[in-house]
Structures are given as structure tokens and as C-alpha cells.
Amino acid sequence: MRVVEFYLINEKGQEYSLMDEVNYCLMTDVAGLGYSYETQYQQLGNTFINTLRTMEQGKIEGNAKFRNYDNFKNFIDFIECSEKLKFLYKIPLSNNKKVEYLKDVVVQSISKGTIVKEDEKLNSTITFDCLSLWYQDKETVYTISKLEEELQWDFKWNTRFSDYTSRSITFNNDGHTEASFMLEMRNYLINPGINVIKNDKVIYNLRMPITIQQGERLLISSKDNEIFIKKQNIDGSFENLFKKKYGIDLNNNNIFKLPKGTSIITLVADNNIYDAKLNIFKQYKVV
């Protein structure tokens, strides 16, 4: 029997199962997995014109059953010791595979029941406020072997490169909105950056007029709740690169998301790129 699965994941990567009544808890009657809009209309004769249409903040709610008070306390400890939470939703497909979707959440409320008899369970109603749409976290990593000069991604490249001053992939965003991303480029780089091409036209071109030294990292994020362009120094400290002297600021089209449909993403630098990681977050209103 194919069933959906629910988990919580914190910023440390630790998982808490919402499917295991013995060791964790069993969450049932889960509601709020879809979406809704707030709409307003103006009437003109017998016609209604939409004057407002904004997506409402989602809420996920369910009934959790705990085997004992210890498990309930462990759940509260997991929540309170976590700075960030993601709600993981695993959906079974017809080919017996499961696809995973994530949503950033915070706990709005947790009720606590009472175990009346020894063989009964502690029942609790849990409500999460949603901070994002559903998304898939696709991590794309490439490494270069200087001996074999072989390029490796976790999905198929459309060509092989001999000039390592640029890396290009074709990305198909089949989500419901533009896709945010997080980019990390390491080691010695001169004027690194990222370009996006759609329909043979460059729609985004971010080039950093800096040098990343060996052991440093360039970090770029266009996630709504984690927007930054910064450099991590060798000592671990961070330098904010939103500086006018670089021409980098929020009003200069430096932070962007990847468009819906097919586009070409290119990592660039004035020298060879040997180490980078790109996380792309396809977003869905409902899955």
C-alpha cells in the first residue's frame, strides 16, 4: 500500500518522523496541503472585475498521537532546539517511487491532551504557519579532475567543455513560479559570476569585480528569506558584497530568480572554475 509520509527537518539536517507512533509520533488528518487566494471584485453591470488576487499564507494542521509523555517531551525539545524547520512531504508515484517536497514552516500552536488510561495515546493538535511554497531542493555539484579534465554533475550536461572559464547547464523550471537558487563558488577565482539566457537573450548577468582567493568562498542566494551576496574569508568571517563600489545592490537587478520554462545557466570567471555548487529551488503552489 502506497502512503504519503511526513517529517520535520531542522537546520542541522536532523529529521523528526511524523509517521512513527512508537518512537516519535503519528500525524493524521493532515490539512492545509493545498493553497488559497484572497480575492476582491468590482462589479460593472453584470460583470465582475478582479481588483485583488493575492495568495494567502498557508497553514498545515494535523492530529498527532504520542505513545507516552516522553515522546511528547522529545517532540517539544526538537521544536525548541531548532532555529529553522522544514516540513517534508513524500508523495508516492505510480512507479512505486516517492518524490520529496519541502516547505519552510514555524510552529503556530501545539495542544496537549492527557493520557487517561495506560493503553491510550496522548493526542495533540499541531498547527504550522507556512513561510514558503512547496519546493524541491536540487543540489547540483561539479568537480574537475585536472588529470582527466572530466566534468561531473548530478544530472546530464548537454556538452563537454575544454575551456573551464565557463560552465553551462540547460535548466527546465516546470514549477509554478520562478525558482530561487543558492550558488557557492570556491577557491581562486577572478571576476566570478552567473548569467542566465532565455530564448537566446541574456536576461540576467551578475559579475563580481573581485578576486576570490584560495580557501575563500563566494556565496549568492536569491531565496526570499535568505537574500545575500557575500564572501567567506579564510578565517571564516563573512564580508557583505552589497556595495556600491562593486555596483552590487538590491536595486541593480543583482538578485534574481530563474524564469519558468527552459533557460541556460552559465557560471563564469576570468580563470578556470574547478569547484562550485548550485542549489535550485523549484517552487509549487500545490503538489
Side-chain angles (χ1 to χ4, degrees):
M1 180 179 179
R2 297 189 298 270
V3 296
V4 299
E5 297 180 24
F6 303 108
Y7 299 85
L8 292 177
I9 304 177
N10 64 15
E11 75 283 356
K12 307 178 189 70
Q14 298 170 328
E15 288 191 3
Y16 187 96
S17 174
L18 302 175
M19 305 295 299
D20 183 348
E21 186 177 353
V22 175
N23 300 298
Y24 297 93
C25 75
L26 176 63
M27 192 169 182
T28 61
D29 302 321
V30 180
L33 300 177
Y35 68 100
S36 62
Y37 283 95
E38 177 186 355
T39 56
Q40 293 181 9
Y41 298 90
Q42 180 180 353
Q43 184 175 359
L44 294 177
N46 295 321
T47 301
F48 292 85
I49 299 175
N50 189 309
T51 58
L52 175 68
R53 182 174 171 83
T54 58
M55 178 170 288
E56 295 182 327
Q57 182 179 11
K59 294 183 184 295
I60 297 176
E61 186 176 77
N63 298 319
K65 298 181 184 296
F66 296 88
R67 186 180 185 184
N68 48 47
Y69 287 111
D70 292 342
N71 286 1
F72 181 82
K73 179 181 182 303
N74 291 339
F75 174 74
I76 298 299
D77 290 344
F78 180 86
I79 295 296
E80 292 301 319
C81 293
S82 301
E83 296 182 5
K84 296 181 180 180
L85 286 176
K86 297 179 181 180
F87 192 92
L88 173 60
Y89 182 22
K90 293 186 179 182
I91 302 176
L93 302 180
S94 57
N95 57 7
N96 292 323
K97 292 184 179 180
K98 289 194 175 183
V99 60
E100 297 183 0
Y101 296 93
L102 297 163
K103 186 180 284 253
D104 299 333
V105 298
V106 294
V107 174
Q108 182 204 77
S109 63
I110 301 174
S111 68
K112 181 182 179 182
T114 300
I115 300 178
V116 179
K117 298 178 182 179
E118 187 173 336
D119 58 346
E120 289 187 350
K121 307 295 188 297
L122 189 155
N123 295 317
S124 174
T125 299
I126 305 174
T127 302
F128 300 95
D129 285 334
C130 302
L131 305 181
S132 71
L133 299 178
W134 295 106
Y135 62 88
Q136 289 181 295
D137 185 354
K138 303 292 289 185
E139 182 177 270
T140 308
V141 181
Y142 67 77
T143 58
I144 304 293
S145 170
K146 292 184 178 180
L147 294 178
E148 299 178 358
E149 294 187 342
E150 181 182 357
L151 189 59
Q152 296 178 338
W153 283 78
D154 65 354
F155 60 85
K156 188 176 181 180
W157 285 74
N158 59 355
T159 186
R160 175 169 291 188
F161 296 90
S162 58
D163 177 9
Y164 293 143
T165 59
S166 68
R167 304 285 184 271
S168 295
I169 60 169
T170 298
F171 168 64
N172 180 32
N173 179 12
D174 58 0
H176 300 153
T177 67
E178 294 181 324
S180 56
F181 68 90
M182 295 184 70
L183 171 64
E184 175 184 332
M185 301 177 73
R186 294 173 176 265
N187 299 324
Y188 184 67
L189 293 167
I190 302 172
N191 299 330
I194 178 173
N195 299 333
V196 180
I197 300 173
K198 186 175 178 62
N199 298 327
D200 298 324
K201 179 182 178 181
V202 177
I203 59 174
Y204 298 113
N205 178 18
L206 174 60
R207 199 71 180 261
M208 301 298 301
I210 59 174
T211 298
I212 302 296
Q213 302 294 340
Q214 190 77 19
E216 296 181 336
R217 296 192 300 164
L218 172 65
L219 302 166
I220 301 173
S221 171
S222 68
K223 292 188 69 176
D224 289 335
N225 57 345
E226 296 181 65
I227 293 177
F228 55 74
I229 301 178
K230 58 188 178 182
K231 181 180 74 168
Q232 184 175 23
N233 300 312
I234 297 177
D235 62 3
S237 62
F238 291 93
E239 177 185 352
N240 182 11
L241 298 180
F242 279 117
K243 298 181 178 180
K244 289 186 177 180
K245 69 177 182 179
Y246 296 144
I248 306 299
D249 59 64
L250 288 172
N251 299 320
N252 200 25
N253 207 26
N254 300 133
I255 289 295
F256 54 85
K257 297 182 180 180
L258 304 176
K260 294 174 64 175
T262 301
S263 60
I264 298 175
I265 305 170
T266 303
L267 306 184
V268 294
D270 289 348
N271 63 321
N272 287 347
I273 304 171
Y274 289 124
D275 193 355
K277 179 169 67 175
L278 180 66
N279 287 53
I280 298 175
F281 306 94
K282 293 183 181 181
Q283 299 186 98
Y284 303 87
K285 296 178 182 179
V286 67
V287 293

